[in-house]
Amino acid sequence: MSTDITTQFSVEEIKESKINQVDFETLVFGQVFTDHMFECDYIDGEWQTPTIKPYQPILVEPSLKVFHYGQAVFEGMKAYKDNAGEVWMFRPDQNQVRINKSAKRLAIPEFPKEWFFEALDRLLVLDDAWIKKGKGNVVYIRPFVIATENAIMAAPSTQYKFMIILSPVKSYFRGDVSVVFAEHYSRSADGGVGAAKAAGNYAGQFYPTNLAKEKGYEQVIWTDSNEHKYLEEAGTMNAFFRINDTLLTAPTSDRILDGVTRKSVLDIAKHLGMQVEVRKITVSEVVEAAKDGSLKEIFGAGTAVVISPVKSFSYQGIDYPIEKQKNSYAIKLKEYITDIQYNKIDDPFGWRYKVGVDKY
Ligand code: COI
């Protein structure tokens, strides 16, 4: 086992890879992890030595602040391998900025930008064999920060752990999803943490999503917490609605995550000549559009799900099926964005980031 100090990074490589134990054809999202992980502790007001080491448990005390107050934020990113074996990330600069924005909202210190990128480059180069070629094969990247002070006083932690773990995955959902529009529960509120990628935002959705699942729906599309009148986002993805040939999505706000896939879809849609409107969308206009046949598509957009078509929605106990379109915007947009991600077409937006360690 070698411990190598490269720039400021401490790198300890695995002795033997566990990759041969993994069946890449039957992967369930987020259950298998690669050989290495990144870890960096914040102690005495400073981020300590950034460390790459074999993926392993972390030993912590039960008083760890994150267990009691949920002071934790995360990101979701992906690494893609093209046919020539080069590895790419998609707009990682956006995730870097967002994790620090989320951190600020949760009173967590910012993590240095240079280390964020170096950690990703080094990890992905070490675990290159886990990134399989071809659309649909991908390594999901999960950077996260947790409060690690051993203290149960309800105040921001004085210590933190920034980590990155990698998980080879295929698709997030199997097939098109059915959703329910929220009528009672809310994901976030004005002035709250909805725009941050805070761990607790996800925990708060589990119970109402379970209620939806018991009735046969897979996801909830959250509405505004004041009146449940406006359609906002779906928790694991931002929501898009196509009425006739206009693509609609809600503007970002305190309550809605500024999704990287969301903003990329908006740019691609405009680039492909689609009519796009970013504005408040009422539940009633979507229900009316479903009734009169002008609702052509609903889909979710997010890093994990990419673009996920919705096959039906439910509101006030009534199910509204959405017919598959021949000229589906969801399919076109997914094709285009994944072509950029897998380096299959030119990238007119400059979104692709080539992974490698020669820069360090
Ligand atoms: C992502 O799309 O990366 C997300 O963060 C959703 C996740 C909770 C699966």
Side-chain angles (χ1 to χ4, degrees), residues 178-183 217 312-320:
S178 54
V179 300
V180 61
F181 292 171
E183 291 170 53
Y217 308 104
S312 69
F313 73 88
S314 164
Y315 182 63
Q316 292 184 332
I318 301 172
D319 285 335
Y320 298 87

Side-chain angles (χ1 to χ4, degrees), residues 29 74-78 95 98 140-142 172 197 202 205-206 235-237 257 261 301-306:
F29 188 93
F74 72 94
E75 268 306 318
M77 309 167 70
K78 281 178 172 170
N95 303 92
R98 194 172 62 185
Y140 183 79
I141 307 168
R142 173 52 61 85
Y172 191 81
K197 236 171 146 49
Y202 294 78
Q205 296 177 72
F206 291 161
T236 52
M237 51 196 193
L257 189 80
T261 313
T303 299
V305 303
V306 195

Side-chain angles (χ1 to χ4, degrees), residues 233-247:
E233 64 146 283
T236 52
M237 51 196 193
N238 292 105
F240 283 81
F241 302 84
R242 174 180 163 199
I243 297 185
N244 290 318
D245 284 342
T246 303
L247 194 58

Side-chain angles (χ1 to χ4, degrees), residues 241-246 286 289-290 292-299 310 321-329:
F241 302 84
R242 174 180 163 199
I243 297 185
N244 290 318
D245 284 342
T246 303
V286 171
D292 71 20
S294 57
L295 178 71
K296 304 292 183 202
E297 289 178 77
I298 300 180
F299 60 86
V310 169
I322 304 167
E323 254 178 55
K324 271 205 182 299
Q325 298 295 308
K326 277 205 191 95
N327 163 34
S328 158
Y329 283 14

Side-chain angles (χ1 to χ4, degrees), residues 81-349:
K81 190 170 269 178
D82 68 18
N83 288 338
E86 301 282 7
V87 176
W88 304 87
M89 284 188 286
F90 181 72
R91 310 189 75 180
D93 53 316
Q94 301 292 317
N95 303 92
Q96 187 275 323
V97 168
R98 194 172 62 185
I99 198 166
N100 280 342
K101 231 168 126 183
S102 302
K104 186 169 180 196
R105 180 62 183 84
L106 276 280
I108 295 173
E110 292 191 357
F111 189 70
K113 178 178 174 182
E114 301 69 34
W115 286 3
F116 181 85
F117 282 98
E118 186 166 346
L120 290 167
D121 278 314
R122 288 193 183 285
L123 267 182
L124 291 167
V125 166
L126 278 175
D127 285 343
D128 175 81
W130 294 79
I131 314 165
K132 302 293 181 195
K133 282 184 193 169
K135 271 196 185 182
N137 296 314
V138 74
V139 158
Y140 183 79
I141 307 168
R142 173 52 61 85
F144 62 102
V145 198
I146 53 170
T148 49
E149 186 184 352
N150 292 308
I152 52 172
M153 174 95 152
S157 179
T158 55
Q159 299 188 5
Y160 297 89
K161 197 180 274 299
F162 183 104
M163 302 192 73
I164 306 177
I165 54 176
L166 308 176
S167 176
V169 299
K170 284 192 176 275
S171 58
Y172 191 81
F173 293 122
R174 287 204 186 98
D176 297 359
V177 293
S178 54
V179 300
V180 61
F181 292 171
E183 291 170 53
H184 174 69
Y185 293 99
S186 301
R187 172 186 171 274
S188 59
D190 288 340
V193 293
K197 236 171 146 49
N201 283 343
Y202 294 78
Q205 296 177 72
F206 291 161
Y207 174 68
T209 305
N210 274 350
L211 296 179
K213 281 184 179 158
E214 278 165 20
K215 294 188 176 155
Y217 308 104
E218 284 141 291
Q219 288 278 294
V220 177
I221 295 193
W222 301 103
T223 48
D224 66 288
S225 53
N226 304 323
E227 301 174 273
H228 298 290
K229 189 171 157 191
Y230 300 103
L231 291 159
E232 302 211 313
E233 64 146 283
T236 52
M237 51 196 193
N238 292 105
F240 283 81
F241 302 84
R242 174 180 163 199
I243 297 185
N244 290 318
D245 284 342
T246 303
L247 194 58
L248 305 170
T249 197
T252 53
S253 70
D254 270 3
R255 300 189 301 256
I256 301 184
L257 189 80
D258 182 12
V260 179
T261 313
R262 172 190 175 280
K263 62 179 122 188
S264 308
V265 162
L266 288 174
D267 287 346
I268 294 169
K270 286 181 208 152
H271 180 75
L272 296 179
M274 294 172 186
Q275 177 96 18
V276 173
E277 282 179 26
V278 178
R279 63 161 173 85
K280 287 182 160 191
I281 303 154
T282 60
V283 172
S284 57
E285 74 178 299
V286 171
V287 170
E288 282 315 307
K291 285 184 185 161
D292 71 20
S294 57
L295 178 71
K296 304 292 183 202
E297 289 178 77
I298 300 180
F299 60 86
T303 299
V305 303
V306 195
I307 287 179
S308 181
V310 169
K311 62 182 177 210
S312 69
F313 73 88
S314 164
Y315 182 63
Q316 292 184 332
I318 301 172
D319 285 335
Y320 298 87
I322 304 167
E323 254 178 55
K324 271 205 182 299
Q325 298 295 308
K326 277 205 191 95
N327 163 34
S328 158
Y329 283 14
I331 291 174
K332 266 195 198 159
L333 291 160
K334 182 173 180 182
E335 181 87 356
Y336 196 94
I337 198 166
T338 53
D339 277 350
I340 292 186
Q341 291 167 336
Y342 287 85
N343 191 25
K344 284 186 175 293
I345 55 170
D346 277 351
D347 171 13
F349 307 98

